[in-house]
Amino acid sequence: MILRWISAWGLLAFSASVWAVSPYIQGDPVAGGSVQTAAAAVESKLKGGGFKVVGKYFPKTLAGYGVVVATDEAMLNEVGAVGGPAVLGAAIRVGVKADGSVAYTNPDYWYRAYFRKAFDKREAAVKALQARLQDTLGAGKGQGGDEPPGNLVNYRYMIGMERLDSSKNKLAEYGSFAEALKTVRDNLTKGAGKTAKIYEVVMPDRKLAVIGVAMNDAEHNDGDWIRKIDMQNNIAGLPYEIYIVDNEVNSPHGRFRIALAFPDVGMGQFMRISSLPNAIMEIMGSVAGVEKKSSGEAWQQ
């Protein structure tokens, strides 16, 4: 009997250790030849599946890779109900390659991280979205690493590093939601910080907005930094976001957002982009309308 209990507990511990969630799911291949052709095929599939396509992104220095961004009305309702930084979950990102390869953001991974303690009440909605994406794009293997589900609720890369709700996310504060949104829109139109808008999702009744931002700075452009950590096959981790909650403009801290998107990247790889978290704060700060400044922080203190 004792041996049976030991065996049972050992099996339970082993099962817990191997159950993990990947950030991306491989979809069925589409017609390739060029990344634009592949993206057009994915866009058609998404529209046919009832999703709304809100943007496409082809990083300037990463030929052959792109992202199609979409939203789902039912999930937007859930995102709006949770509020706060959960608005980052408004977008569904689908990575494409010129050879027709497809990989999309795994709802079970991203919404655990963005909904946090509110996930359990919305798990049925997340599963429904995942089933629709699988029907629309295919249901292949997970890719991009993995994390135990329990770790995603209060995810951070290492002890002492930032979580989703870090106070460091705040960039600026304005007199109203409308003023904050207008400021961000105007600065993106101007290309502040050498940026460009990729998509925009606004929930005015909730005073929430999230905007996907292309970073085109010569030193810290998206194509180059994602190649430095060898994560271009997980291009669906882009674009980076700036978001508005009520009258505050925020952007997720780099040590949270980059690590969440690429959980299988080791510290050695992250040190190749050690200046990126600082640079993102400066770039997004320009978009938010604040003076350029550096936090003096990198991947390790």
Side-chain angles (χ1 to χ4, degrees), residues 175-194:
S176 67
F177 173 75
E179 183 184 357
L181 180 59
K182 183 180 186 304
T183 300
V184 171
R185 283 173 167 170
D186 288 350
N187 285 329
L188 284 170
T189 299
K190 296 173 187 175
K194 298 183 179 178

Side-chain angles (χ1 to χ4, degrees), residues 189-268:
T189 299
K190 296 173 187 175
K194 298 183 179 178
T195 59
K197 183 175 76 174
I198 303 302
Y199 72 86
E200 175 184 285
V201 180
V202 180
M203 305 179 202
D205 57 326
R206 302 277 189 176
K207 295 184 179 180
L208 295 169
V210 60
I211 300 173
V213 179
M215 295 188 287
N216 298 316
D217 176 80
E219 187 177 355
H220 297 100
N221 65 79
D222 290 328
D224 285 353
W225 73 255
I226 199 171
R227 189 188 297 111
K228 284 180 181 179
I229 58 173
D230 196 24
M231 285 290 111
Q232 56 267 39
N233 286 336
N234 299 316
I235 191 69
L238 295 179
Y240 213 91
E241 304 95 351
I242 195 166
Y243 66 98
I244 301 169
V245 178
D246 198 3
N247 63 337
E248 293 184 1
V249 183
N250 307 265
S251 187
H253 197 283
R255 295 191 304 195
F256 167 81
R257 172 62 171 79
I258 298 170
L260 180 68
F262 311 110
D264 61 343
V265 172
M267 179 55 73

Side-chain angles (χ1 to χ4, degrees), residues 15-149:
S15 299
S17 68
V18 299
W19 181 39
V21 188
S22 297
Y24 310 103
I25 297 174
Q26 294 176 9
D28 297 332
V30 297
S34 74
V35 66
Q36 287 80 11
T37 298
V42 166
E43 181 176 6
S44 179
K45 281 189 170 187
L46 286 167
K47 289 180 177 177
F51 298 93
K52 180 181 179 181
V53 175
V54 294
K56 288 186 284 188
Y57 182 35
F58 306 101
K60 293 181 178 180
T61 60
L62 193 64
Y65 294 84
V67 185
V68 181
V69 186
T71 60
D72 173 71
E73 193 63 33
M75 189 50 64
L76 286 181
N77 291 335
E78 302 294 339
V79 167
V82 176
V87 72
L88 290 165
I92 299 161
R93 303 183 303 275
V94 185
V96 294
K97 293 170 59 176
D99 65 3
S101 300
V102 174
Y104 55 91
T105 48
N106 181 0
D108 192 43
Y109 180 94
W110 291 88
Y111 291 115
R112 286 181 187 274
Y114 289 151
F115 289 169
R116 307 179 81 188
K117 293 180 180 179
F119 177 83
D120 288 348
K121 292 182 179 179
R122 291 166 173 81
E123 187 170 6
V126 172
K127 287 182 177 179
L129 172 61
Q130 188 148 357
R132 288 183 56 220
L133 283 169
Q134 290 175 347
D135 289 343
T136 302
L137 299 174
K141 298 184 297 182
Q143 71 174 49
D146 52 53
E147 283 289 330

